[in-house]
Amino acid sequence: MSTRLKPKLLSVMKTYTKEQFVKDAIAGVIVAVIALPLSIALAISSGVSPEQGLYTAIIAGFFISLLGGSRVQIGGPSATFMVVVYGVVASHGVEGLLLTTILAGIILILFGLLRLGSMIKYIPYPITVGFTSGIALTIFSSQIKDFFGMTLENVPTGFVDKWKLYFSSANQIHWMPFIIGLIALIILMIWPRINKKIPASLVSIVVTTVLVALLNLDVPTIGTQYTHLSSTFPRPSFPEVTWNKIEMLISPAFTIAFLCSLESLLSAVVSDGMIGSKHRSNMELVAEGVANIASGVFGGMPATGAIARTVANIKNGGRTPIAGVVHAVTLLFILLFLMPLVKMIPLATLAAVLIMVSYNMSEWRMFKRLLSAPKSDVSVLLVTFFLTVLFDLTLAISVGMVLTSFLFMKRMTDVTNVQGFELHDEEEEGQLLDEELKEVLSDEILIYEVNGPFFFGAADKFLDSIQSLQGPSKVLIIRLRNVPVIDATAVHALELLQDTCRRSNTTLILSEINDKPYQVVKRVGLVREIGREQVCRYFDQAVERAKQLVCR
């Protein structure tokens, strides 16, 4: 992936044609139709008004296409953020959400300027599947109230408490909203098999809205729940900023920035494979940052590049950022002129749309497959999943990354081994020593070899192996020919070994050290401390030096 900080729009416009504009315009309109119900449903489920979802899709979608590093990325609100956004709104209100969105945008810009776009590949897959599946289950849980038409006030945010309330309030189920929601869900499942060009979400909304309106059914709609919907474009306003607010909101802002980076760059990678292009990862992060700042200033929610909408754009002929701009303009037209029709959409239908979204993002097949992976990966998967569902997404990602890091260190430590060579090894263990080792080994010359990455995880293993030596020796040769990298802890272990050798009148020789490890030990002064003549490029040089020291 390219890391250039140049919007993709500037590159594609050099060869832009009228024919491609027509394709982009058609794709943009179709994607806007798909984004409309999703934006509204995500806004309602996140605890904010429906028009804020449209503000986000319009403003953020425009800037992500205008400045982004992908040819076909479509931006807007995402189900990935819903859990975090709902928590922020519940604790700090809409004002807190706007500030969190702006902070997340600033963090994203810093990610891009610091060239962190390629770092996304280091996120372990079990963590991605774990929190994605956890978010999917959480989204599904949040839609039960509207899908069954329950009239519940102050639904708890906690997963367990929420389901306790649902079961204890089973007598409040209203069957008419449930039937409408069920019809919408059936259409969402069946329609793609009939026609893939017309979005299933649009068909389900039109059918159920017409049913409710013509039959005058007693079903809650967007208009009945939100009586003061605005159909005007918002004016920019900056939320009040205090240091205390920043301290409270910086954690969810980092979570949103991380999730935005993850989803948008994964979406860009997927789209690259579909159109044979190459996105600019750092420019994409900068664009996501600008889009989130603009969304917060204009009263919107967090936004990111969305995989489903991006794929829909590609499948309908979109090949340049112009399609994303048309998508934003189309949603603006709907906001200004068609809001009275939007008010008629049943809440149960929107719940059905998000239930289908949660199913699609659950990755249950991959979740099931990963359960057969090594136990360490299964533990990361399950810990991340359950922490996401039962506690907090920030905690889940943090613990998942820490756990993965420890498991990685354990694996690397297992890979790295320290081998000692002594003359009696051949007699006691039946080990055949190399001829070059037979010629060198004696009671006065000992040789140890480190194989694998020499880092803090392997430093203790190294010291334990060296300390197991018995009997005095004049020279200790450490062969490092199979050490690709070395870190500060390993250097410290070598320093401790040098101190031990000095006290026992033993000379330490480092042999066959590679270029990168050599630069590290030279920078920290270990080469000077050991002596340049004791740091040998080749093994025969180390042997010659050892013989000179023994013969003194």
Side-chain angles (χ1 to χ4, degrees):
M1 61 182 71
S2 173
T3 58
R4 294 172 61 198
L5 289 174
K6 179 182 178 182
K8 205 71 169 179
L9 181 64
L10 298 180
S11 301
V12 301
M13 292 306 293
K14 295 176 183 178
T15 57
Y16 200 61
T17 63
K18 292 181 180 179
E19 291 77 9
Q20 187 56 54
F21 173 75
V22 173
K23 293 179 181 178
D24 287 338
I26 294 172
V29 172
I30 293 173
V31 173
V33 171
I34 296 172
L36 174 66
L38 282 175
S39 302
I40 294 172
L42 289 170
I44 292 173
S45 297
S46 299
V48 297
S49 62
E51 66 264 32
Q52 285 184 262
L54 289 178
Y55 298 162
T56 307
I58 294 167
I59 298 163
F62 175 78
F63 281 105
I64 288 172
S65 295
L66 185 71
L67 303 176
S70 170
R71 294 174 63 98
V72 291
Q73 186 89 281
I74 302 294
S78 170
T80 308
F81 303 140
M82 205 188 82
V83 180
V84 184
V85 172
Y86 187 86
V88 171
V89 173
S91 302
H92 307 284
V94 175
E95 189 83 0
L97 174 62
L98 301 182
L99 181 56
T100 303
T101 304
I102 293 171
L103 290 173
I106 295 171
I107 294 169
L108 282 164
I109 291 176
L110 292 176
F111 282 175
L113 295 179
L114 293 172
R115 300 294 200 274
L116 298 181
S118 60
M119 296 296 288
I120 196 69
K121 62 186 177 184
Y122 297 115
I123 305 299
Y125 193 56
I127 289 182
T128 303
V129 175
F131 78 70
T132 303
S133 300
I135 291 170
L137 181 56
T138 306
I139 292 172
F140 170 77
S141 301
S142 68
Q143 301 310 306
I144 299 300
K145 169 180 170 287
D146 287 335
F147 189 75
F148 286 95
M150 294 179 173
T151 54
L152 300 176
E153 303 251 345
N154 302 321
V155 177
T157 56
F159 179 82
V160 175
D161 292 336
K162 189 176 292 183
W163 278 97
K164 283 182 179 178
L165 179 62
Y166 289 156
F167 283 119
S168 63
S169 306
N171 60 338
Q172 293 193 31
I173 293 176
H174 290 78
W175 293 105
M176 192 53 66
F178 169 67
I179 292 171
I180 292 297
L182 191 60
I183 292 172
L185 192 59
I186 292 171
I187 293 173
L188 289 167
M189 290 187 292
I190 294 177
W191 184 257
R193 302 175 186 176
I194 301 172
N195 188 309
K196 293 185 178 181
K197 290 189 175 181
I198 301 176
S201 57
L202 176 64
V203 176
S204 66
I205 285 176
V206 171
V207 170
T208 54
T209 301
V210 169
L211 276 175
V212 170
L214 290 180
L215 301 178
N216 195 24
L217 301 177
D218 184 18
V219 173
T221 64
I222 293 176
T224 59
Q225 182 159 333
Y226 299 91
T227 55
H228 300 291
L229 279 180
S230 173
S231 59
T232 59
F233 193 73
R235 293 182 179 181
S237 64
F238 206 86
E240 181 185 357
V241 181
T242 64
W243 184 250
N244 185 47
K245 286 184 177 181
I246 292 176
E247 284 184 328
M248 290 188 295
L249 298 174
I250 194 68
S251 178
F254 263 105
T255 302
I256 289 171
F258 170 79
L259 293 174
C260 180
S261 303
L262 185 66
E263 183 167 357
S264 62
L265 294 183
L266 284 177
S267 174
V269 169
V270 171
S271 65
D272 282 351
M274 295 180 70
I275 65 174
S277 181
K278 189 175 183 181
H279 74 279
R280 295 165 184 163
S281 55
N282 293 316
M283 189 65 237
E284 184 64 26
L285 292 183
V286 171
E288 303 282 344
V290 173
N292 276 277
I293 293 173
S295 181
V297 169
F298 282 90
M301 304 159 53
T304 184
I307 295 177
R309 277 161 272 180
T310 299
V311 170
N313 178 36
I314 294 170
K315 288 185 175 180
N316 286 283
R319 289 296 181 273
T320 76
I322 296 298
V325 173
V326 172
H327 142 268
V329 172
T330 304
L331 288 174
L332 177 61
F333 176 83
I334 294 172
L335 171 69
L336 297 177
F337 301 106
L338 301 179
M339 209 59 177
L341 297 178
V342 172
K343 293 180 181 180
M344 300 169 64
I345 299 174
L347 294 178
T349 300
L350 295 180
V353 170
L354 284 185
I355 287 174
M356 184 56 66
V357 168
S358 68
Y359 174 80
N360 290 332
M361 74 180 294
S362 66
E363 299 191 67
W364 65 269
R365 291 182 181 85
M366 183 53 65
F367 192 99
K368 181 180 178 182
R369 190 181 306 169
L370 281 176
L371 292 176
S372 302
K375 291 182 180 179
S376 57
D377 290 327
V378 175
S379 64
V380 171
L381 172 71
L382 295 179
V383 166
T384 307
F385 173 76
F386 284 112
L387 286 178
T388 300
V389 173
L390 299 177
F391 294 97
D392 179 71
L393 185 58
T394 307
L395 177 65
I397 294 172
S398 302
V399 172
M401 288 298 294
V402 170
L403 181 59
T404 301
S405 300
F406 278 117
L407 292 171
F408 174 76
M409 287 185 280
K410 174 67 168 58
R411 288 171 180 168
M412 288 297 99
T413 303
D414 292 341
V415 168
T416 304
N417 67 81
V418 182
Q419 186 176 9
F421 301 96
E422 301 181 62
L423 279 174
H424 60 75
D425 285 345
E426 190 170 27
E427 300 171 2
E428 294 181 0
E429 301 178 17
Q431 176 179 323
L432 297 177
L433 297 175
D434 293 342
E435 290 299 324
E436 61 176 354
L437 291 178
K438 284 184 180 181
E439 294 176 5
V440 179
L441 287 172
S442 67
D443 291 336
E444 296 179 315
I445 299 177
L446 298 178
I447 300 173
Y448 266 69
E449 182 167 10
V450 182
N451 298 296
F454 195 9
F455 70 117
F456 60 92
D460 282 341
K461 179 188 286 190
F462 170 75
L463 290 175
D464 290 343
S465 299
I466 297 295
Q467 288 169 0
S468 67
L469 282 171
Q470 296 180 355
S473 60
K474 283 190 175 182
V475 179
L476 173 60
I477 299 176
I478 304 295
R479 302 187 74 175
L480 299 170
R481 57 181 176 172
N482 296 320
V483 174
V485 292
I486 190 170
D487 72 353
T489 307
V491 172
H492 180 62
L494 291 173
E495 290 173 339
L496 292 177
L497 179 61
Q498 166 67 3
D499 292 340
T500 302
C501 289
R502 188 183 294 116
R503 288 194 297 270
S504 61
N505 295 319
T506 300
T507 301
L508 175 65
I509 295 178
L510 300 183
S511 169
E512 303 155 277
I513 185 168
N514 292 307
D515 290 338
K516 288 185 178 180
Y518 177 78
Q519 294 301 322
V520 175
V521 298
K522 182 181 178 181
R523 246 189 337 262
V524 299
L526 183 60
V527 173
R528 184 175 60 255
E529 185 179 340
I530 294 176
R532 289 186 181 276
E533 62 276 12
Q534 266 74 260
V535 180
C536 302
R537 184 76 172 178
Y538 303 104
F539 184 62
D540 55 355
Q541 294 175 345
V543 170
E544 187 64 30
R545 179 61 182 161
K547 288 179 178 179
Q548 292 173 3
L549 293 169
V550 169
C551 292
R552 284 182 181 178

